[in-house]
Amino acid sequence: MNKYLIRKIVVCLIGSFIYAAGITVVKVCNLGISPITSAPFAFSFVVGQSLGTCTMYLNAILYVIQKAVLGKEYTLRKFLTQFILSSVFAVLIDFTGVLFGGFIPQSYVARLLYLVFGCFVLAIGVCGVVMSDFGMLPGEGVAVCIQRLSKKDFGTCKIIFDSSMVVLALVISLVFLRRVEGVREGTLISAITIGWFSKYIGRFMGPRLACFLNPPSQTR
């Protein structure tokens, strides 16, 4: 394998691990579920199926959105890479839950601070996965589609996507359940801060990762 392809795979996997660790940190704060899982979490109460199954339903919709926007650019390879990464990511979430899920801050202020820290960690992971240019999770794939259509930076598009998931979760909850499930202040904070952190982390990491992941002729 080309050494640059190996570097991309390694960076993608490290980014996925950091991403999963950030989700675990946000989860233990108990201030609301992360934005990307908020909609399938609410839907799981409607259909009586597991969060994992409902996440698969959401991913199927996200695959279709990417195909509609990207057309021929969304190849079978990209689809299969996303599908495999999603499976690996699910395992990493369970693994990081064992590693980092034991620390639970007690006071409300400590939980808020830990939540913001978790969003920062999560944003580093997101940037690592996206900038690896090897593959990305379906949610980040749609954020890139929004970037393609809007010409805005990735961090802003990440905020738009995460916020849309929170809005969808609220709609599902209120229309079908007549109550709010999973969405709390932590979910709203995460929807804004993850994209905001991603914007500035991307500006710092982008040029450095580009030099590391690509041949010199492609970075000039």
Side-chain angles (χ1 to χ4, degrees):
M1 294 175 65
N2 182 289
K3 71 175 183 178
Y4 292 102
L5 177 58
I6 294 174
R7 289 180 182 182
K8 289 180 179 183
I9 293 173
V10 170
V11 170
C12 184
L13 291 175
I14 292 174
S16 296
F17 176 81
I18 296 173
Y19 191 165
I23 287 180
T24 295
V25 172
V26 171
K27 181 180 178 181
V28 299
C29 294
N30 198 28
L31 292 175
I33 200 162
S34 60
I36 187 64
T37 55
S38 58
F41 182 78
F43 191 61
S44 68
F45 286 89
V46 177
V47 297
Q49 296 182 324
S50 70
L51 176 59
T53 300
C54 292
T55 300
M56 290 175 61
Y57 295 154
L58 173 64
N59 285 344
I61 296 172
L62 300 183
Y63 296 142
V64 173
I65 292 173
Q66 291 177 85
K67 183 63 177 178
V69 174
L70 300 177
K72 292 181 179 180
E73 291 183 42
Y74 190 66
T75 61
L76 178 62
R77 175 193 171 279
K78 288 186 177 181
F79 164 72
L80 291 175
T81 302
Q82 282 191 355
F83 184 81
I84 294 171
L85 276 178
S86 297
S87 301
V88 172
F89 190 63
V91 174
L92 287 175
I93 289 177
D94 290 338
F95 181 59
T96 55
V98 174
L99 289 180
F100 309 117
F103 175 71
I104 303 175
Q106 299 303 312
S107 71
Y108 183 76
V109 173
R111 286 157 61 194
L112 276 177
L113 292 175
Y114 200 49
L115 172 76
V116 174
F117 170 71
C119 292
F120 177 72
V121 172
L122 203 159
I124 293 175
V126 168
C127 289
V129 172
V130 172
M131 292 177 185
S132 71
D133 197 30
F134 173 73
M136 62 187 73
L137 296 167
E140 280 61 56
V142 172
V144 169
C145 289
I146 297 173
Q147 183 181 28
R148 175 74 64 87
L149 295 172
S150 67
K151 309 302 181 183
K152 299 181 182 296
D153 58 72
F154 176 77
T156 300
C157 296
K158 177 66 175 169
I159 292 175
I160 293 172
F161 174 75
D162 284 352
S163 299
S164 69
M165 290 295 99
V166 175
V167 171
L168 180 59
L170 288 172
V171 170
I172 292 173
S173 294
L174 295 176
V175 171
F176 295 101
L177 303 173
R178 299 292 191 271
R179 66 181 188 275
V180 176
E181 286 290 348
V183 177
R184 284 188 55 183
E185 63 272 32
T187 308
L188 303 177
I189 292 172
S190 298
I192 296 172
T193 57
I194 291 170
W196 187 83
F197 282 139
S198 297
K199 182 186 300 186
Y200 293 100
I201 293 170
R203 291 176 185 174
F204 176 79
M205 289 176 54
R208 292 162 176 80
L209 276 180
C211 292
F212 177 70
L213 296 173
N214 299 291
S217 60
Q218 295 184 21
T219 56
R220 290 173 184 171

Short mmCIF file of all heavy atoms in Angstrom, two decimals, residues 20-60:
data_model
loop_
_atom_site.label_atom_id
_atom_site.label_comp_id
_atom_site.label_asym_id
_atom_site.label_seq_id
_atom_site.Cartn_x
_atom_site.Cartn_y
_atom_site.Cartn_z
N ALA A 20 -15.14 9.15 19.22
CA ALA A 20 -15.92 8.29 20.11
C ALA A 20 -15.68 8.67 21.57
O ALA A 20 -16.61 8.66 22.38
CB ALA A 20 -15.54 6.83 19.88
N ALA A 21 -14.43 9.00 21.91
CA ALA A 21 -14.12 9.42 23.29
C ALA A 21 -14.89 10.69 23.64
O ALA A 21 -15.40 10.83 24.76
CB ALA A 21 -12.62 9.63 23.44
N GLY A 22 -14.97 11.62 22.69
CA GLY A 22 -15.71 12.85 22.93
C GLY A 22 -17.19 12.58 23.17
O GLY A 22 -17.82 13.20 24.05
N ILE A 23 -17.77 11.66 22.41
CA ILE A 23 -19.17 11.30 22.61
C ILE A 23 -19.38 10.71 24.00
O ILE A 23 -20.38 11.00 24.68
CB ILE A 23 -19.62 10.31 21.52
CG1 ILE A 23 -19.78 11.02 20.18
CG2 ILE A 23 -20.94 9.62 21.90
CD1 ILE A 23 -20.23 10.14 19.05
N THR A 24 -18.43 9.89 24.45
CA THR A 24 -18.52 9.29 25.78
C THR A 24 -18.49 10.37 26.86
O THR A 24 -19.28 10.34 27.81
CB THR A 24 -17.37 8.30 26.01
OG1 THR A 24 -17.51 7.20 25.10
CG2 THR A 24 -17.39 7.76 27.44
N VAL A 25 -17.58 11.34 26.71
CA VAL A 25 -17.48 12.42 27.69
C VAL A 25 -18.78 13.22 27.74
O VAL A 25 -19.29 13.53 28.83
CB VAL A 25 -16.30 13.35 27.35
CG1 VAL A 25 -16.31 14.59 28.25
CG2 VAL A 25 -14.98 12.61 27.51
N VAL A 26 -19.33 13.55 26.57
CA VAL A 26 -20.60 14.29 26.53
C VAL A 26 -21.71 13.47 27.18
O VAL A 26 -22.54 14.01 27.93
CB VAL A 26 -20.96 14.63 25.06
CG1 VAL A 26 -22.38 15.20 24.98
CG2 VAL A 26 -19.96 15.62 24.48
N LYS A 27 -21.72 12.18 26.93
CA LYS A 27 -22.78 11.32 27.45
C LYS A 27 -22.78 11.26 28.97
O LYS A 27 -23.85 11.32 29.60
CB LYS A 27 -22.64 9.92 26.86
CG LYS A 27 -23.71 8.94 27.31
CD LYS A 27 -23.48 7.57 26.69
CE LYS A 27 -24.52 6.56 27.17
NZ LYS A 27 -24.28 5.22 26.59
N VAL A 28 -21.60 11.12 29.59
CA VAL A 28 -21.55 10.94 31.05
C VAL A 28 -21.94 12.22 31.79
O VAL A 28 -22.24 12.16 32.98
CB VAL A 28 -20.16 10.48 31.52
CG1 VAL A 28 -19.80 9.15 30.91
CG2 VAL A 28 -19.08 11.52 31.24
N CYS A 29 -21.95 13.35 31.10
CA CYS A 29 -22.38 14.59 31.74
C CYS A 29 -23.88 14.57 32.06
O CYS A 29 -24.36 15.36 32.88
CB CYS A 29 -22.05 15.79 30.86
SG CYS A 29 -20.29 16.06 30.65
N ASN A 30 -24.61 13.71 31.36
CA ASN A 30 -26.05 13.54 31.60
C ASN A 30 -26.81 14.86 31.45
O ASN A 30 -27.71 15.17 32.23
CB ASN A 30 -26.30 12.94 33.00
CG ASN A 30 -27.69 12.36 33.13
OD1 ASN A 30 -28.28 11.92 32.14
ND2 ASN A 30 -28.22 12.34 34.33
N LEU A 31 -26.44 15.62 30.43
CA LEU A 31 -27.13 16.88 30.15
C LEU A 31 -27.83 16.85 28.80
O LEU A 31 -28.17 17.88 28.24
CB LEU A 31 -26.13 18.05 30.20
CG LEU A 31 -25.54 18.36 31.56
CD1 LEU A 31 -24.47 19.44 31.45
CD2 LEU A 31 -26.62 18.78 32.55
N GLY A 32 -28.03 15.65 28.28
CA GLY A 32 -28.67 15.50 26.98
C GLY A 32 -27.79 14.70 26.04
O GLY A 32 -26.55 14.74 26.13
N ILE A 33 -28.40 13.98 25.13
CA ILE A 33 -27.66 13.13 24.21
C ILE A 33 -27.01 13.99 23.12
O ILE A 33 -27.43 15.12 22.88
CB ILE A 33 -28.60 12.07 23.59
CG1 ILE A 33 -27.82 10.88 23.03
CG2 ILE A 33 -29.51 12.69 22.55
CD1 ILE A 33 -28.67 9.65 22.83
N SER A 34 -25.97 13.47 22.46
CA SER A 34 -25.25 14.24 21.44
C SER A 34 -26.16 14.53 20.25
O SER A 34 -27.08 13.75 19.95
CB SER A 34 -24.00 13.48 20.98
OG SER A 34 -24.36 12.23 20.42
N PRO A 35 -25.93 15.64 19.54
CA PRO A 35 -26.83 16.05 18.44
C PRO A 35 -27.01 14.98 17.37
O PRO A 35 -28.13 14.76 16.89
CB PRO A 35 -26.14 17.29 17.87
CG PRO A 35 -25.35 17.84 19.01
CD PRO A 35 -24.89 16.65 19.80
N ILE A 36 -25.94 14.30 16.97
CA ILE A 36 -26.02 13.35 15.87
C ILE A 36 -26.92 12.18 16.20
O ILE A 36 -27.53 11.57 15.31
CB ILE A 36 -24.61 12.86 15.46
CG1 ILE A 36 -24.65 12.00 14.20
CG2 ILE A 36 -23.97 12.12 16.60
CD1 ILE A 36 -25.10 12.70 12.97
N THR A 37 -27.04 11.83 17.49
CA THR A 37 -27.89 10.71 17.87
C THR A 37 -29.24 11.14 18.44
O THR A 37 -30.05 10.29 18.81
CB THR A 37 -27.17 9.83 18.93
OG1 THR A 37 -26.78 10.65 20.05
CG2 THR A 37 -25.94 9.17 18.35
N SER A 38 -29.49 12.45 18.48
CA SER A 38 -30.72 12.93 19.10
C SER A 38 -31.97 12.51 18.32
O SER A 38 -32.97 12.07 18.91
CB SER A 38 -30.69 14.46 19.25
OG SER A 38 -30.51 15.09 17.99
N ALA A 39 -31.92 12.61 16.99
CA ALA A 39 -33.09 12.25 16.17
C ALA A 39 -33.39 10.75 16.23
O ALA A 39 -34.53 10.35 16.50
CB ALA A 39 -32.91 12.71 14.73
N PRO A 40 -32.40 9.86 15.99
CA PRO A 40 -32.70 8.43 16.12
C PRO A 40 -33.08 8.02 17.54
O PRO A 40 -33.88 7.10 17.72
CB PRO A 40 -31.41 7.74 15.67
CG PRO A 40 -30.36 8.77 15.71
CD PRO A 40 -31.04 10.07 15.45
N PHE A 41 -32.55 8.72 18.55
CA PHE A 41 -32.91 8.42 19.94
C PHE A 41 -34.40 8.69 20.16
O PHE A 41 -35.12 7.86 20.73
CB PHE A 41 -32.07 9.26 20.90
CG PHE A 41 -32.34 8.99 22.35
CD1 PHE A 41 -31.80 7.87 22.97
CD2 PHE A 41 -33.12 9.85 23.11
CE1 PHE A 41 -32.04 7.61 24.32
CE2 PHE A 41 -33.37 9.61 24.44
CZ PHE A 41 -32.82 8.48 25.05
N ALA A 42 -34.88 9.85 19.70
CA ALA A 42 -36.31 10.17 19.83
C ALA A 42 -37.16 9.20 19.02
O ALA A 42 -38.21 8.74 19.49
CB ALA A 42 -36.56 11.61 19.39
N PHE A 43 -36.71 8.87 17.82
CA PHE A 43 -37.47 7.96 16.95
C PHE A 43 -37.55 6.56 17.55
O PHE A 43 -38.54 5.84 17.33
CB PHE A 43 -36.82 7.92 15.57
CG PHE A 43 -37.66 7.23 14.54
CD1 PHE A 43 -38.91 7.71 14.20
CD2 PHE A 43 -37.20 6.08 13.89
CE1 PHE A 43 -39.69 7.08 13.24
CE2 PHE A 43 -37.97 5.44 12.95
CZ PHE A 43 -39.22 5.94 12.61
N SER A 44 -36.54 6.16 18.32
CA SER A 44 -36.55 4.83 18.93
C SER A 44 -37.72 4.66 19.88
O SER A 44 -38.24 3.56 20.05
CB SER A 44 -35.23 4.56 19.65
OG SER A 44 -35.09 5.39 20.79
N PHE A 45 -38.16 5.75 20.51
CA PHE A 45 -39.32 5.69 21.40
C PHE A 45 -40.62 5.56 20.60
O PHE A 45 -41.60 5.01 21.10
CB PHE A 45 -39.38 6.94 22.29
CG PHE A 45 -38.36 6.96 23.39
CD1 PHE A 45 -37.11 7.50 23.17
CD2 PHE A 45 -38.64 6.42 24.63
CE1 PHE A 45 -36.16 7.53 24.18
CE2 PHE A 45 -37.70 6.44 25.65
CZ PHE A 45 -36.46 6.99 25.42
N VAL A 46 -40.63 6.06 19.38
CA VAL A 46 -41.82 6.01 18.55
C VAL A 46 -42.05 4.60 18.01
O VAL A 46 -43.17 4.08 18.04
CB VAL A 46 -41.72 7.02 17.38
CG1 VAL A 46 -42.95 6.91 16.47
CG2 VAL A 46 -41.58 8.44 17.90
N VAL A 47 -40.98 3.98 17.51
CA VAL A 47 -41.11 2.68 16.85
C VAL A 47 -40.79 1.51 17.79
O VAL A 47 -41.00 0.35 17.43
CB VAL A 47 -40.20 2.60 15.61
CG1 VAL A 47 -40.64 3.63 14.59
CG2 VAL A 47 -38.73 2.78 15.98
N GLY A 48 -40.28 1.80 18.98
CA GLY A 48 -39.98 0.74 19.94
C GLY A 48 -38.81 -0.14 19.55
O GLY A 48 -38.77 -1.32 19.90
N GLN A 49 -37.85 0.43 18.79
CA GLN A 49 -36.66 -0.31 18.40
C GLN A 49 -35.42 0.32 19.02
O GLN A 49 -35.48 1.43 19.57
CB GLN A 49 -36.54 -0.36 16.87
CG GLN A 49 -37.69 -1.14 16.22
CD GLN A 49 -37.55 -1.22 14.71
OE1 GLN A 49 -37.11 -0.28 14.06
NE2 GLN A 49 -37.95 -2.34 14.14
N SER A 50 -34.29 -0.38 18.94
CA SER A 50 -33.08 0.08 19.60
C SER A 50 -32.52 1.33 18.94
O SER A 50 -32.82 1.63 17.78
CB SER A 50 -32.02 -1.02 19.60
OG SER A 50 -31.52 -1.23 18.29
N LEU A 51 -31.68 2.03 19.71
CA LEU A 51 -31.02 3.22 19.17
C LEU A 51 -30.13 2.85 17.99
O LEU A 51 -30.07 3.57 16.99
CB LEU A 51 -30.18 3.90 20.26
CG LEU A 51 -29.34 5.11 19.84
CD1 LEU A 51 -30.22 6.20 19.26
CD2 LEU A 51 -28.53 5.63 21.02
N GLY A 52 -29.45 1.70 18.08
CA GLY A 52 -28.60 1.26 16.98
C GLY A 52 -29.38 1.04 15.70
O GLY A 52 -28.95 1.46 14.61
N THR A 53 -30.55 0.41 15.81
CA THR A 53 -31.39 0.17 14.63
C THR A 53 -31.88 1.48 14.03
O THR A 53 -31.84 1.68 12.81
CB THR A 53 -32.59 -0.71 15.01
OG1 THR A 53 -32.13 -1.96 15.52
CG2 THR A 53 -33.49 -0.95 13.81
N CYS A 54 -32.31 2.40 14.89
CA CYS A 54 -32.82 3.69 14.40
C CYS A 54 -31.69 4.54 13.82
O CYS A 54 -31.92 5.31 12.88
CB CYS A 54 -33.52 4.43 15.53
SG CYS A 54 -35.06 3.63 16.06
N THR A 55 -30.48 4.38 14.34
CA THR A 55 -29.33 5.07 13.76
C THR A 55 -29.06 4.56 12.35
O THR A 55 -28.70 5.32 11.44
CB THR A 55 -28.09 4.89 14.64
OG1 THR A 55 -28.35 5.43 15.95
CG2 THR A 55 -26.88 5.61 14.04
N MET A 56 -29.25 3.25 12.15
CA MET A 56 -29.10 2.68 10.81
C MET A 56 -30.13 3.27 9.85
O MET A 56 -29.82 3.53 8.68
CB MET A 56 -29.22 1.16 10.87
CG MET A 56 -28.06 0.45 11.56
SD MET A 56 -28.33 -1.33 11.73
CE MET A 56 -28.49 -1.84 10.03
N TYR A 57 -31.36 3.47 10.33
CA TYR A 57 -32.39 4.10 9.50
C TYR A 57 -31.93 5.50 9.08
O TYR A 57 -32.06 5.90 7.91
CB TYR A 57 -33.71 4.20 10.24
CG TYR A 57 -34.37 2.89 10.59
CD1 TYR A 57 -35.23 2.79 11.68
CD2 TYR A 57 -34.13 1.75 9.83
CE1 TYR A 57 -35.85 1.59 12.01
CE2 TYR A 57 -34.73 0.54 10.15
CZ TYR A 57 -35.59 0.46 11.24
OH TYR A 57 -36.19 -0.73 11.56
N LEU A 58 -31.42 6.27 10.05
CA LEU A 58 -30.95 7.62 9.76
C LEU A 58 -29.80 7.59 8.77
O LEU A 58 -29.77 8.38 7.82
CB LEU A 58 -30.51 8.32 11.05
CG LEU A 58 -29.86 9.70 10.86
CD1 LEU A 58 -30.85 10.69 10.26
CD2 LEU A 58 -29.30 10.23 12.18
N ASN A 59 -28.86 6.68 8.98
CA ASN A 59 -27.71 6.59 8.08
C ASN A 59 -28.15 6.30 6.65
O ASN A 59 -27.57 6.83 5.69
CB ASN A 59 -26.75 5.50 8.55
CG ASN A 59 -25.94 5.92 9.76
OD1 ASN A 59 -25.87 7.10 10.09
ND2 ASN A 59 -25.34 4.97 10.44
N ALA A 60 -29.19 5.46 6.49
CA ALA A 60 -29.70 5.15 5.15
C ALA A 60 -30.18 6.43 4.46
O ALA A 60 -29.93 6.64 3.26
CB ALA A 60 -30.83 4.13 5.24
#
